Each structure stands twice: as C-alpha cells, then as structure tokens.
C-alpha cells in the first residue's frame, strides 16, 4: 500500500475562483483564514507523483507521501506572491467565517456538499491545521512542487479577467 496525502490544492476554488473574484473586484484575497499558514499543492504536482508511483510501484510500497507546496505561508505572504505573479497589488483581507459563508461562499453556486467541504477547509486553515510543508513531490518525481508564483502567472487571464 502507498499513501498519497495532498494538502489543500492550489486549484481549489479558495485559491482560484473565489480569489479571482476578489482580486478583480478590489485587489484583495478575502478569506476567513486569520493568521493560519498553508502550503497548497498544484494538482499537476499530485498527478506527477501518482504517475511516478504507478510506473514503478515497488520502491514506494509502505510509504506515506505528504504532498504540499514548497513552503507554508500565511495569507499576507500568499497575497504578496499573487502580487508578484500578477504584477499588481494584491492584499489579504481576513473575513469572519460566518460572514464569508453568507456573503461569498453561499453565492458561489457550488453544490451543497462542496460548499460544506470548502467551509470546513476555511475553518481548518483559520485553526492553522494546514501549516506543514514537505519535499515529497521533489523526492518522488525529481522536480520541485510549483510555487504560488509559478502557478498564478499561467492563469493570469483567469485571475485578472
């Protein structure tokens, strides 16, 4: 058995759709994360790890791979990385969880189970439960996990509209 445990995804609506809406609207990433740290991993990195393990599973049997981005950041640092990647100011605004759920998440048009899952992820981020980083992506694939500054520019038009 091989366990592959990714942290939150950079491709998650928290860091894509919802972030893009607030970046376009007022140059912010407005989330209820407080000072919690996170190390989101790109789906492409997870896929590379899975493909590597599937190509030759024997050396991986019994291993647990914690897949994260290359480092944990708080949301102020993440907003700075978005700023660098997009070439425009982006700041973090901490929003109370209940208000964010009612004013942002409920209006996102997500299925109820997805909305609940994302609300739980937001609460866990606020509780600093995503504050970890590993080099498992690089150890397994030979290539480092994507940084936020590498992920965002490839989606510049998506974030800026």
């Amino acid at each position: 058995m091989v366990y592959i445990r990714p942290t939150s995804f950079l491709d998650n609506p928290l860091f894509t759709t919802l972030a893009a809406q607030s970046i376009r609207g007022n140059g912010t990433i407005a989330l209820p994360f407080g000072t919690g740290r996170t190390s989101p991993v790109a789906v492409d990195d997870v896929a590379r790890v899975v493909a590597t393990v599937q190509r030759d599973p024997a050396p991986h049997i019994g291993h647990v791979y914690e897949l994260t981005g290359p480092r944990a950041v708080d949301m102020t640092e993440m907003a700075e990385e978005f700023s660098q990647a997009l070439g425009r100011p982006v700041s973090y605004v901490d929003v109370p969880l209940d208000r964010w759920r009612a004013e942002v998440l409920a209006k996102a048009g997500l299925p109820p189970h997805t909305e609940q899952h994302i609300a739980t992820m937001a609460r866990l981020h606020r509780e600093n439960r995503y504050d970890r980083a590993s080099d498992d992506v690089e150890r397994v694939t030979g290539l480092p996990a994507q940084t936020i500054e590498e992920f965002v520019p490839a989606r510049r038009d998506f974030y800026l509209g």
Side-chain angles (χ1 to χ4, degrees):
M1 183 76 65
V2 179
Y3 295 93
I4 297 175
R5 299 188 334 196
T7 187
S8 61
F9 294 112
L10 270 170
D11 312 68
N12 180 302
L14 289 166
F15 305 119
T16 57
T17 307
L18 299 176
Q21 288 171 355
S22 60
I23 288 170
R24 281 186 226 130
N26 58 17
T28 68
I29 297 175
L31 290 170
F33 288 12
T35 58
R37 299 178 71 75
T38 188
S39 56
V41 64
V43 169
D44 290 347
D45 291 330
V46 175
R48 281 191 301 111
V49 169
V50 170
T52 300
V53 169
Q54 286 182 329
R55 275 193 299 275
D56 185 17
H60 304 284
I61 301 298
H63 289 267
V64 176
Y65 297 118
E66 302 286 345
L67 306 184
T68 71
R71 67 186 186 97
V73 296
D74 65 25
M75 290 306 297
T76 299
E77 292 168 305
M78 181 177 280
E80 289 169 7
E81 291 192 27
F82 268 78
S83 291
Q84 291 296 317
L86 296 173
R88 68 172 277 192
V90 176
S91 59
Y92 172 58
V93 175
D94 184 34
V95 182
L97 181 60
D98 291 341
R99 189 176 102 208
W100 179 79
R101 283 191 77 174
E103 294 177 5
V104 177
L105 191 57
K107 296 175 183 174
L110 300 169
H113 70 280
T114 303
E115 182 180 321
Q116 179 60 42
H117 177 72
I118 290 175
T120 299
M121 288 181 68
R123 180 181 52 79
L124 293 173
H125 272 92
R126 185 172 206 84
E127 294 170 2
N128 208 34
R129 301 275 300 276
Y130 286 91
D131 185 8
R132 62 184 184 272
S134 83
D135 65 350
D136 286 355
V137 170
E138 186 169 7
R139 284 191 315 110
V140 173
T141 68
L143 297 171
Q146 289 180 66
T147 65
I148 296 161
E149 284 186 82
E150 292 167 334
F151 178 87
V152 172
R155 294 150 185 85
R156 180 180 176 82
D157 291 344
F158 172 79
Y159 284 107
L160 297 179

